[in-house]
Amino acid sequence: MTIEFARTHHRPGSLIPTDPGKPYFIEKGAGDRAHLFGDLFTVYAGGPQTENTFNFFTCEGPKGDIIPAHSHPDTYEVFFLTQGAVRLFVEDTEGEQYEKLLTAGDFGFVPKNCPHAYRIERHHSQIVGVAAGPGGTFERFFETLGTPTDEPGLPQRPFIPEREKFATVPQTYDVTFLPDHKWRTGTPDA
């Protein structure tokens, strides 16, 4: 994402200021929310607030299917579990695959350019995510691929984007989908 795009994009009704260098506070769950698949993503800080150095968001969801494999060519991503359980799948740049069940208090790190995916294993799970790197930030990816919402809870029914929409995000958000990627970690449905 270019810094020009980040500074001009502001969601109507957002509590997140558009200019860097201003302190602000957001109450629990009151960030910019979007539904994507069966999950609720809430953004608290991103490119405009951090001069494109990192973003901070949460993902809450029910037990469900694995999300599509993808990578971030220029962005590092962390997963910190505050509740529930999430299975994280990661492949390093040499092709070695890792699978780890993360539970409350566990941390997972995904280097840039490494294919990864996750599957929420328990209802009411929550991931705190941070992404940073030379590729900028991708926090607006969630509402671009998904759908913005003012609702504080999970979607009534999963929001599955049209297949064509997946091709529109890599140039802007440093997200490359890998539809033919196979996980060889041994877990069913991975």
Side-chain angles (χ1 to χ4, degrees):
M1 164 173 19
T2 65
I3 197 148
E4 293 80 21
F5 178 82
R7 288 209 171 127
T8 60
H9 181 82
H10 187 70
R11 181 178 174 168
S14 177
L15 300 174
I16 302 172
T18 56
D19 297 323
K22 302 279 186 195
Y24 65 98
F25 306 91
I26 297 176
E27 293 181 9
K28 180 182 178 180
D32 294 349
R33 295 182 294 271
H35 288 151
L36 179 56
F37 307 115
D39 303 337
L40 170 68
F41 290 88
T42 305
V43 174
Y44 295 93
Q49 299 76 42
T50 68
E51 297 180 23
N52 269 355
T53 57
F54 74 93
N55 62 30
F56 184 93
F57 59 92
T58 60
C59 170
E60 299 174 53
K63 182 176 180 178
D65 296 329
I66 192 168
I67 63 145
H70 62 283
S71 67
H72 308 288
D74 290 314
T75 304
Y76 300 88
E77 188 171 7
V78 299
F79 293 75
F80 181 78
L81 265 285
T82 58
Q83 61 190 37
V86 171
R87 188 169 306 277
L88 183 60
F89 303 88
V90 183
E91 183 177 304
D92 68 20
T93 55
E94 280 101 43
E96 186 169 348
Q97 293 189 354
Y98 304 83
E99 174 187 327
K100 177 70 175 168
L101 180 65
L102 302 175
T103 59
D106 289 344
F107 174 90
F109 175 74
V110 179
K112 68 179 183 175
N113 211 28
C114 288
H116 59 285
Y118 67 86
R119 180 175 61 220
I120 295 178
E121 299 285 2
R122 290 188 198 138
H123 292 303
H124 309 292
S125 292
Q126 183 182 52
I127 303 165
V128 172
V130 176
T137 61
F138 62 75
E139 72 279 354
R140 297 300 169 188
F141 159 80
F142 304 117
E143 64 190 35
T144 300
L145 188 62
T147 184
T149 183
D150 291 327
E151 298 299 315
L154 300 177
Q156 293 294 323
R157 53 180 76 125
F159 181 86
I160 309 299
E162 298 292 326
R163 184 173 279 283
E164 304 79 46
K165 202 168 185 183
F166 285 90
T168 67
V169 295
Q171 304 84 351
T172 305
Y173 300 108
D174 195 38
V175 178
T176 302
F177 286 100
L178 307 166
D180 299 323
H181 192 80
K182 300 289 184 225
W183 297 105
R184 304 177 305 275
T185 55
T187 299
D189 303 318

